[in-house]
Amino acid sequence: MLTFDDANGKSKEAMDTILKSYSDTTKGFQAITSEATEYSKKSFQDAISHFEALAGTRSFEAALELQTKYAKSAYENFVAEATKLGEMYSDLAKSAYKSYEAPVAAAVAKASKAATAVTSNAA
């Protein structure tokens, strides 16, 4: 039989789990936002530097070579950043799930035990 104190304790435990999960998720999104902002700033500065260098070229060949190097560098930086952000999102999802892993496992075990008891009583 579930008493009021048991229900109150379970409710407090659930609320603590939810608040911890929200806090961890917020911190994760803040880290992702900070990383994306830093990448955007760096990318913008690189683009400005590139266009300044491009404006100073005297030949078409030099401009083409400079543009090719910039495009390759920008692409490599983008792929690296996308990979890093993907890992950050993956870690965030794992962290958000981790808070609920133990309570869900306990509930599943309890429900499984109850189902087994009902099945054995019916037979």
Side-chain angles (χ1 to χ4, degrees):
M1 177 92 181
L2 186 65
T3 66
F4 179 74
D5 290 335
D6 292 339
N8 190 26
K10 293 291 184 185
S11 176
K12 182 181 181 321
E13 181 181 318
M15 185 57 73
D16 290 343
T17 300
I18 290 169
L19 290 176
K20 182 181 181 325
S21 175
Y22 285 164
S23 174
D24 292 345
T25 302
T26 301
K27 288 176 186 175
F29 278 123
Q30 286 174 343
I32 289 168
T33 301
S34 176
E35 181 64 34
T37 301
E38 289 302 315
Y39 171 74
S40 295
K41 286 179 184 177
K42 183 182 179 311
S43 179
F44 185 71
Q45 288 298 327
D46 290 347
I48 289 173
S49 298
H50 167 68
F51 285 116
E52 288 173 350
L54 193 61
T57 60
R58 299 288 178 213
S59 69
F60 179 74
E61 290 81 17
L64 187 61
E65 182 180 337
L66 190 62
Q67 181 63 26
T68 302
K69 287 180 184 178
Y70 172 75
K72 182 179 178 187
S73 173
Y75 175 75
E76 289 171 353
N77 289 339
F78 172 76
V79 170
E81 188 66 22
T83 301
K84 185 174 184 179
L85 287 174
E87 290 171 358
M88 291 176 80
Y89 274 110
S90 176
D91 292 344
L92 176 63
K94 289 175 187 174
S95 173
Y97 173 72
K98 192 173 189 107
S99 299
Y100 298 101
E101 190 173 24
V104 168
V108 168
K110 187 175 181 180
S112 177
K113 185 177 177 183
T116 303
V118 169
T119 305
S120 65
N121 286 340

